[in-house]
Amino acid sequence: MAELLRVERLRAGYGEAVVIDGVSLGLGAGETLALLGRNGTGKTTLINTLAGATRQHGGSIMLNGAALHTLAPHQRAAAGIGWVPQERNIFKSLTVHENLSAVARPGKWTPEGVYRMFPRLAERRGNLGNQLSGGEQQMLAVGRALVLNPQLLLLDEPLEGLAPILVEELLRAIRRITREERLAAIIVEQHPQAILAISDRAVVLDHGTVVHAGTARQLRDAPELLERLLGVSR
Ligand SMILES: Nc1ncnc2c1ncn2[C@@H]1O[C@H](COP(=O)(O)OP(=O)(O)OP(=O)(O)O)[C@@H](O)[C@H]1O
Ligand SMILES: [Mg+2]
């Protein structure tokens, strides 16, 4: 499988502080990576570093063999990074449809395709961003990343704070995007089982370094390892 993403000895943080220290990982085209770790271990910092939103101190990020780490955030979006930050980055004063059409780039994913994936958004296409529920905002944030027609989707805790029924709905959509449409993705999650079930690979961070890397299945089938790494057994 052709390699899509290659991260080598990445060091990054905020100002002089180094949070991510010596992270290396790779991802093949069409693969999904579950990025796990307890609170404050650097998951968001790593995702944000891939998107260009932190201070990088060292190392390299290559997408399809081209350097990403030298590019500004908007250039990374153009190069194929679709980022859904932990704090949902929708425009609150624009409608659902304006949110999608303002950032859409030519390709397979269109606002209409997003509405088919999330019928709730279709019903609310004229509503302003600040008139949406948390779950609808999360769907819109995912939709905004999709209409960029990225090569790599970065989802930072897409299920956080959602009611169980919305968790199911969003998980189904993410599974469709990653498993059926084979869009490569890195998904950060606190509740590992649901994400491990739809991922190919898994990386666990602790104190800004990789403490485990392997297949998602290996981690799913090893509850005691999961417990030791994350303090959870489900
Ligand atoms: N803007 C910031 N400025 C300075 N330090 C920060 C900033 N954001 C995060 N940190 C620090 O970086 C470390 C890693 O934080 P990060 O948000 O990457 O963790 P996380 O694994 O995503 O946690 P969570 O699961 O709670 O989202 C923490 O010690 C945090 O305090
Ligand atoms: Mg985080």
Side-chain angles (χ1 to χ4, degrees), residues 2-207:
E3 193 161 65
L4 176 68
L5 177 75
R6 169 57 46 191
V7 173
E8 290 289 353
R9 297 185 304 279
L10 195 62
R11 297 181 81 237
Y14 307 93
E16 292 307 307
V18 172
V19 173
I20 289 295
D21 199 0
V23 166
S24 298
L25 56 86
L27 193 66
E31 283 191 321
T32 305
L33 174 90
L35 180 60
L36 308 174
R38 298 174 203 241
N39 286 120
T41 50
K43 305 179 298 297
T44 293
T45 306
L46 174 54
I47 290 286
N48 293 2
T49 302
L50 298 179
T54 65
R55 168 122 182 248
Q56 192 175 328
H57 292 267
S60 60
I61 307 167
M62 309 294 285
L63 189 73
N64 283 321
L68 204 62
H69 53 270
T70 54
L71 303 181
H74 70 277
Q75 295 172 313
R76 297 189 197 202
I81 297 290
W83 177 37
V84 181
Q86 191 162 7
E87 67 292 348
R88 301 149 186 155
N89 64 339
I90 62 167
F91 296 123
K92 304 243 166 162
S93 55
L94 296 185
T95 64
V96 165
H97 193 70
E98 287 165 345
N99 263 279
L100 293 173
S101 48
V103 296
R105 296 163 52 86
K108 169 173 161 182
W109 290 99
T110 60
E112 292 306 322
V114 170
Y115 294 142
R116 278 193 292 279
M117 171 87 57
F118 299 114
R120 265 167 204 275
L121 289 184
E123 290 164 20
R124 288 162 181 74
R125 73 173 78 192
N127 285 30
L128 298 179
N130 63 12
Q131 297 168 332
L132 301 177
S133 73
E136 290 160 358
Q137 290 184 28
Q138 190 61 277
M139 290 172 192
L140 181 55
V142 173
R144 284 195 53 191
L146 281 178
V147 297
L148 286 171
N149 284 291
Q151 298 187 51
L152 174 63
L153 195 57
L154 305 176
L155 298 176
D156 195 345
E157 301 210 29
L159 311 177
E160 190 181 19
L162 301 188
I165 186 163
L166 286 177
V167 166
E168 282 308 313
E169 192 173 333
L170 207 59
L171 257 181
R172 260 200 308 279
I174 292 170
R175 190 184 301 122
R176 230 181 91 195
I177 294 160
T178 58
R179 308 322 291 173
E180 292 164 35
E181 310 278 348
R182 298 307 294 183
L183 177 57
I186 300 180
I187 309 177
V188 174
E189 238 332 295
Q190 295 279 337
H191 305 291
Q193 285 301 0
I195 289 302
L196 285 174
I198 61 166
S199 296
D200 303 291
R201 315 204 58 76
V203 162
V204 182
L205 292 184
D206 194 15
H207 288 92

